[in-house]
Amino acid sequence: MKSIAHLWRFVKPYDRQAVLGLLLLAVVVAVDLALPRLLQQLINTGIQQRDMGAILNISLVMVGLTLVSAAGTVGSMLFAVRVSQMAATDMRRELFVHIQSFSFANLDRLPTGQLVTRLTSDISQVAQFIWMTMRSFVRAPLMMVGSLILVFLTNWQLGLLMLVLMPITIVIFMFYASKAQPLFMQVLRKLERLNTILQENLAGVRVVRAFVRASHENRRFDATNVDLMGRAIRVERMLAVLAPTLRLLVNLGLVAVVWFGGVQVVEGNLNVGQIVALSNYVWWVMMPLVMLSLSVGFISSADASTQRIFEVLDSQPELVDEARAQALPAVEGRVALENVVFTYGGYDETAVLEGINLVVEPGETVALVGATGAGKSTLINLVPRFYDVSEGRVTLDGVDVRDVTLDSLRAQVGAVLQETVLFSGTIGDNIRYGRPDARDEEVVAAARAAQAHDFITSFPAGYDTLIGQRGVNLSGGQKQRVAIARALLARPRVLIMDDSTSSVDVETEGKILSALDRLVAGADGYIRTRLVVAQRISTIMNADRIVVLDRGRIAANGTHRELLASSPIYREIYQSQLGNHEGGGSHEG
Ligand code: ADP
């Protein structure tokens, strides 16, 4: 239950409204506590002495107070809703902003699915907890203490009896809470596992279809689902026993009041009205404990949600501007990796890259080839500093990338990543993503270079065509071309491309490459250096230089012709693709 206390940070900005809500709640409690006293009077002075006037007066006061109590309850609820929703909004905003600061390494550790759950259902859970706290969790103990005091004031012997019954209830409650909490946590974990399977399955639904694995997925889902049911039943079984047990205790308390009180009435120490009032108070002394017990599950899950939210908030961005970092001035585009060693960290401590020394001169295009897992993507991700090297350094025009601000570095290093991500919105907006103020002509020029202009203008709405859920679905190759246009529009000095034309047909790819060549060589060209990862030999054959990576090391380095003569690995890749006479596993994009 420690985590829940952290929530205060989000409620604090609204403490005034929270206090107002609680004050209203205090009024409600005071009124509710007064009502049994009035009932007592009604019985004693009104009913027993047959005084119609008194009955009417007291009844009217009671109705009035009930109205006050109702109005107070509504008011305090409204404050509770406001405070909890405002806190939740702030929490969502803070989480979102914090996630924006995450580096690639942070995102490796907290996958998208989990971040989504934390931003949505965990925050709702916590908001509901704040609301419940301001409503019931504060009210119940107030009623309990107030009632206990009133019981004592009316009859101290009965007060003592309550003091005996209460610890019994508390012990039962504690016992139950200690048993139930781990169970609730298990249920939550199972639920999370179920969500993971669901998310994986929905995200990969096409793969499931393609491999005809639906029945396997059904079994996997079913196993977890049944497991969840088993645990949920165990929890509910405890609840099924607990609730009547606690009620029994409450009723025993009531019987004690009536029995013990009855004796006192006979002895003349107590009157009937007092007994009625007392039985009300006894109810209020015991009920909060019952309510709390029944809320154990809810409180546990709110606690777990709080933990999960703070796990994200407390993760430090692993890659930030160093204190000494300065803005990178416009560069010529000389990229150098010096004695680079790289380890992803986490479980696997083996180096993914080792002893990398590579210089790419301005104006040069260097292609990386090698088997999957050789480390190609990892290598090019070091240039825009998506990850930091473990040893050695990466420099741009001789400046260590860790010595400059991330913004200024990435403004000059454009990246077309392996996974093409477009946002919902128009195609034009997507191309403008890195430079929202670009002129239309510039957008068109970038799209032309990326061979995207023709297919874009074939849509009736052209650049204003919506993509995503409410718009057109672009093919893999079309998406890649939009992503290339997006990178080009930002006018980077250094362009890194990670398998960025894999879904584009060979002919179109050829056109993209020559357009890029013109951007490198041309008088108004802005790109100086290109680092390209590709599977297809056709993509890279004409590169100035080809670097062959093998298990994290540079195995060979030279032109296509040189490597054919000197590198067995390169020859193997080349020949394996020649058999595939198109020159690579291309498919129409
Ligand atoms: P390539 O691009 O040549 O296929 P990668 O650079 O993607 O190779 O991967 C090199 C190695 O690093 C692989 O063994 C891969 O499993 C591992 N790897 C890649 N990305 C990550 C990551 N985000 N976290 C941990 N290991 C990774």
Side-chain angles (χ1 to χ4, degrees):
M1 296 289 145
K2 278 175 296 197
S3 317
I4 271 184
H6 292 313
L7 288 178
W8 174 239
R9 187 175 122 204
F10 289 98
V11 175
K12 195 159 173 279
Y14 309 107
D15 54 359
R16 243 187 264 163
Q17 301 197 41
V19 166
L20 271 177
L22 293 180
L23 282 180
L24 280 176
L25 204 62
V27 171
V28 172
V29 168
V31 169
D32 286 353
L33 286 174
L35 284 174
R37 274 293 166 112
L38 286 168
L39 193 63
Q40 176 184 332
Q41 267 192 13
L42 185 82
I43 294 171
N44 289 347
T45 54
I47 297 178
Q48 287 195 324
Q49 307 187 0
R50 298 173 195 280
D51 179 348
M52 270 319 278
I55 292 181
L56 198 67
N57 281 343
I58 298 175
S59 302
L60 280 179
V61 174
M62 284 178 78
V63 169
L65 282 182
T66 312
L67 285 177
V68 170
S69 161
T73 307
V74 171
S76 75
M77 286 246 255
L78 290 182
F79 278 116
V81 168
R82 276 185 68 86
V83 170
S84 63
Q85 287 307 322
M86 289 190 295
T89 307
D90 289 352
M91 226 178 282
R92 265 192 295 265
R93 181 181 304 127
E94 197 174 319
L95 261 183
F96 190 85
V97 169
H98 191 62
I99 291 170
Q100 300 299 319
S101 74
F102 275 9
S103 67
F104 281 38
N106 287 111
L107 296 170
D108 288 343
R109 265 182 273 285
L110 281 167
T112 320
Q114 289 208 21
L115 290 177
V116 171
T117 325
R118 288 167 206 221
L119 255 161
T120 52
S121 59
D122 280 330
I123 289 189
S124 312
Q125 184 80 18
V126 165
Q128 207 184 350
F129 173 78
I130 296 174
W131 178 69
M132 282 285 280
T133 305
M134 288 186 59
R135 238 186 84 220
S136 319
F137 297 154
V138 168
R139 177 182 177 167
L142 283 181
M143 283 302 278
M144 184 162 93
V145 174
S147 300
L148 193 63
I149 292 172
L150 285 166
V151 171
F152 262 102
L153 288 181
T154 315
N155 186 292
W156 63 268
Q157 292 101 323
L158 256 178
L160 284 183
L161 187 67
M162 285 295 99
L163 279 187
V164 176
L165 277 178
M166 271 174 61
I168 300 179
T169 321
I170 290 176
V171 167
I172 292 184
F173 164 67
M174 299 287 268
F175 172 78
Y176 164 75
S178 70
K179 288 259 173 229
Q181 215 205 344
L183 269 182
F184 275 115
M185 294 310 271
Q186 281 177 14
V187 170
L188 280 180
R189 259 193 292 277
K190 286 289 155 194
L191 204 60
E192 225 174 35
R193 167 106 193 96
L194 198 74
N195 278 337
T196 311
I197 294 183
L198 206 62
Q199 251 165 20
E200 273 178 23
N201 187 282
L202 294 182
V205 66
R206 291 184 169 82
V207 180
V208 177
R209 294 287 177 287
F211 287 88
V212 201
R213 292 289 275 175
S215 60
H216 163 80
E217 290 293 324
N218 285 345
R219 272 197 304 279
R220 199 158 76 109
F221 183 78
D222 204 43
T224 310
N225 199 12
V226 168
D227 196 9
L228 175 65
M229 173 188 77
R231 277 164 221 269
I233 287 181
R234 277 176 63 195
V235 170
E236 295 301 324
R237 213 160 29 197
M238 286 193 76
L239 273 182
V241 176
L242 178 82
T245 311
L246 290 171
R247 278 196 97 88
L248 186 72
L249 271 173
V250 174
N251 284 327
L252 278 180
L254 286 175
V255 170
V257 170
V258 176
W259 176 73
F260 185 79
V263 173
Q264 302 252 345
V265 171
V266 172
E267 288 175 356
N269 297 333
L270 215 62
N271 54 47
V272 180
Q274 280 173 320
I275 292 196
V276 173
L278 278 172
S279 56
N280 271 299
Y281 290 131
V282 167
W283 172 258
W284 274 116
V285 171
M286 308 291 273
M287 267 325 277
L289 289 170
V290 175
M291 204 201 74
L292 262 186
S293 321
L294 300 182
S295 311
V296 165
F298 176 68
I299 298 173
S300 312
S301 55
D303 188 56
S305 291
T306 313
Q307 261 177 41
R308 290 154 49 87
I309 292 168
F310 275 89
E311 192 191 341
V312 180
L313 285 180
D314 293 340
S315 322
Q316 294 302 319
E318 291 182 25
L319 218 150
V320 289
D321 286 342
E322 305 284 342
R324 59 170 188 275
Q326 304 213 324
L328 178 69
V331 292
E332 280 304 312
R334 183 174 193 271
V335 176
L337 287 87
E338 301 168 12
N339 299 316
V340 165
V341 176
F342 181 81
T343 313
Y344 274 105
Y347 311 109
D348 195 4
E349 284 298 315
T350 50
V352 173
L353 294 175
E354 241 184 313
I356 302 287
N357 280 294
L358 177 67
V359 178
V360 187
E361 296 294 346
E364 215 181 8
T365 295
V366 168
L368 296 171
V369 291
T372 20
K376 304 180 295 289
S377 300
T378 308
L379 192 155
I380 61 171
N381 280 343
L382 296 177
V383 179
R385 203 177 164 217
F386 289 147
Y387 292 94
D388 266 341
V389 293
S390 309
E391 286 173 39
R393 59 181 204 144
V394 176
T395 63
L396 203 57
D397 278 16
V399 181
D400 192 318
V401 292
R402 287 167 297 191
D403 290 341
V404 296
T405 58
L406 286 169
D407 290 356
S408 69
L409 173 68
R410 290 177 189 166
Q412 296 196 57
V413 181
V416 188
L417 300 179
Q418 198 162 27
E419 200 186 342
T420 320
V421 176
L422 299 182
F423 297 95
S424 50
T426 68
I427 295 181
D429 290 342
N430 267 285
I431 297 179
R432 278 199 170 86
Y433 193 71
R435 241 184 87 199
D437 57 349
R439 282 176 292 122
D440 287 349
E441 306 91 79
E442 295 175 300
V443 173
V444 172
R448 274 190 199 281
Q451 307 303 309
H453 180 72
D454 287 348
F455 84 77
I456 295 173
T457 45
S458 75
F459 296 126
Y463 283 83
D464 295 328
T465 306
L466 281 173
I467 46 180
Q469 262 176 9
R470 284 172 305 129
V472 297
N473 276 317
L474 298 183
S475 74
Q478 289 171 333
K479 280 189 200 155
Q480 283 188 333
R481 284 180 266 168
V482 173
I484 294 172
R486 172 171 69 192
L488 293 183
L489 186 65
R491 301 177 73 86
R493 272 289 174 195
V494 178
L495 180 67
I496 64 173
M497 295 173 78
D498 193 349
D499 234 353
S500 314
T501 47
S502 55
S503 306
V504 179
D505 63 283
V506 177
E507 193 189 332
T508 310
E509 180 187 51
K511 288 186 192 157
I512 297 175
L513 294 178
S514 17
L516 289 178
D517 287 343
R518 282 195 295 279
L519 283 179
V520 176
D524 62 336
Y526 37 89
I527 298 175
R528 285 286 169 270
T529 313
R530 265 193 292 166
L531 254 172
V532 180
V533 169
Q535 303 295 335
R536 272 192 226 151
I537 292 290
S538 65
T539 320
I540 50 159
M541 233 156 50
N542 297 321
D544 297 315
R545 212 143 39 95
I546 300 166
V547 172
V548 182
L549 270 186
D550 183 31
R551 277 163 290 171
R553 293 172 171 279
I554 294 182
N557 184 346
T559 61
H560 174 65
R561 207 168 281 280
E562 286 166 10
L563 291 180
L564 270 188
S566 66
S567 166
I569 301 180
Y570 188 74
R571 223 171 13 242
E572 197 180 311
I573 297 174
Y574 180 68
Q575 271 153 9
S576 71
Q577 296 201 2
L578 274 189
N580 207 346
H581 50 209
E582 219 199 342
S586 68
H587 35 96
E588 170 55 40

